[in-house]
Amino acid sequence: MSRYQAALLGLGLLLVFLLYMGLPGPPEQTSRLWRGPNVTVLTGLTRGNSRIFYREVLPIQQARRAEVVFLHGKAFNSHTWEQLGTLQLLSERGYRAVAIDLPGEYPCIQGFGNSAPSEEVSTEAGRVELL
């Protein structure tokens, strides 16, 4: 190995070492994939007496801010917001948050998540009334 190659190798190793020491590490895991201590799983009734399932967190701190309602798309349910840690994060920041399992349209067998199908959601006005 020539002096030139040894010098390049040494500079390369020095550069790798400096990058290793100077670059930040991987980000810390911030999402919680488990239920926080203050997530409450509840079931209520719609005006048409269909069962509706939801998850609620109350603010951990006494200062109460706005209330947040989470909806979901067809491939998800209220548990998604819990798994992502969103409910717990809002609770820690002083918000009451509710994540609803939207009911499916009657006469389907199952709603989204744990809510029962409901005739109320078959029309736009019914969906607005539900929310």
Side-chain angles (χ1 to χ4, degrees):
M1 178 181 287
S2 72
R3 284 184 139 179
Y4 178 73
Q5 290 174 329
L8 281 178
L9 179 62
L11 285 174
L13 289 173
L14 180 62
L15 179 64
V16 168
F17 177 74
L18 290 174
L19 285 173
Y20 176 76
M21 295 304 289
L23 292 176
E28 292 182 31
Q29 182 70 18
T30 56
S31 67
R32 296 177 176 87
L33 298 178
W34 61 87
R35 177 173 298 137
N38 62 332
V39 175
T40 306
V41 177
L42 302 164
T43 304
L45 293 175
T46 66
R47 288 192 180 188
N49 288 326
S50 296
R51 184 176 50 90
I52 189 157
F53 181 90
Y54 60 100
R55 297 167 198 274
E56 175 185 40
V57 291
L58 298 175
I60 291 176
Q61 306 163 357
Q62 294 297 339
R64 195 168 185 174
R65 296 182 177 172
E67 298 182 2
V68 181
V69 176
F70 286 98
L71 304 177
H72 57 79
K74 286 187 176 184
F76 304 102
N77 58 38
S78 66
H79 189 61
T80 304
W81 299 112
E82 183 180 347
Q83 286 180 310
L84 292 172
T86 308
L87 294 176
Q88 188 67 21
L89 178 69
L90 286 174
S91 174
E92 291 168 1
R93 302 241 165 111
Y95 293 91
R96 175 180 176 244
V98 176
I100 300 171
D101 279 356
L102 295 170
E105 290 185 32
Y106 189 80
C108 77
I109 297 171
Q110 174 84 24
F112 301 107
N114 295 307
S115 290
S118 170
E119 285 187 44
E120 294 169 280
V121 297
S122 61
T123 65
E124 188 174 315
R127 290 187 291 272
V128 169
E129 182 67 27
L130 172 76
L131 293 177

